[in-house]
Amino acid sequence: MADFLSPSERSQRMSRIRSSDTAPELALRRELHRLGLRYTLGNKKLVGKPDLVFPRHRTIVFVHGCFWHRHQGCSICTTPKSNTPFWQEKFDRNVARDTRVSAQLEAMGWRVLITWECELQSGIRTRATAERLAGLIRAGSA
Ligand SMILES: [Zn+2]
């Protein structure tokens, strides 16, 4: 990520990842729906407030931003050159939380799938990602 974001741009970016209604996620939801999968959104009773919940398949899908959730090997997953220890600590916390949340959900009998924002960056990629996820979601409930 660029290091030259102004504080307001940066906080905008930060607030964006909290939102569950980003354009890539909406596109993914549309594709999954087209593939016949039915989900519930933003289930607040579940730990981690999962983005998409497929109750019939006992499966949860998180849509992770590559920067904040540290998609290893991904070009979006950069580390700012200034204030590096601050960012590193923040990233470490995010990754630790993701790991903890997944473990808790799995302990409750959910299957947890992760998809990354870079897998949703065009209509074609989103469609391919949705088809892959749909296969995984359906396979789990067989
Ligand atoms: Zn990525």
Side-chain angles (χ1 to χ4, degrees):
M1 181 206 282
D3 233 344
F4 46 79
L5 292 177
S6 72
S8 75
E9 285 170 326
R10 185 157 269 160
S11 71
Q12 218 178 18
R13 188 175 274 247
M14 288 183 70
S15 67
R16 219 159 47 93
I17 65 141
R18 303 276 170 229
S19 154
S20 60
D21 289 335
T22 59
E25 188 184 326
L26 287 173
L28 176 67
R29 271 150 53 177
R30 212 166 29 240
E31 287 297 329
L32 287 169
H33 192 269
R34 186 182 61 84
L35 293 166
L37 287 162
R38 298 297 175 260
Y39 47 79
T40 62
L41 294 173
N43 197 324
K44 294 198 177 64
K45 281 186 221 143
L46 284 170
V47 62
K49 298 187 191 120
D51 299 310
L52 295 168
V53 179
F54 299 83
R56 192 185 304 170
H57 302 280
R58 202 74 189 154
T59 300
I60 277 163
V61 174
F62 282 102
V63 181
H64 276 352
C66 300
F67 178 75
W68 291 102
H69 295 270
R70 308 316 281 164
H71 189 196
Q72 294 307 308
C74 171
S75 64
I76 304 171
C77 177
T78 57
T79 301
K81 299 257 189 302
S82 61
N83 263 333
T84 304
F86 164 82
W87 288 103
Q88 196 54 58
E89 199 193 309
K90 214 171 175 53
F91 295 146
D92 289 348
R93 266 205 311 274
N94 285 351
V95 170
R97 190 195 309 119
D98 290 341
T99 305
R100 194 170 61 239
V101 162
S102 285
Q104 281 176 282
L105 289 167
E106 280 163 7
M108 292 164 66
W110 292 93
R111 218 151 41 100
V112 178
L113 303 175
I114 308 284
T115 187
W116 297 95
E117 77 177 286
C118 65
E119 297 175 315
L120 307 172
Q121 279 190 331
S122 70
I124 289 168
R125 295 191 81 173
T126 300
R127 185 162 290 199
T129 299
E131 281 168 6
R132 184 175 55 80
L133 282 173
L136 289 170
I137 291 165
R138 291 204 162 99
S141 57

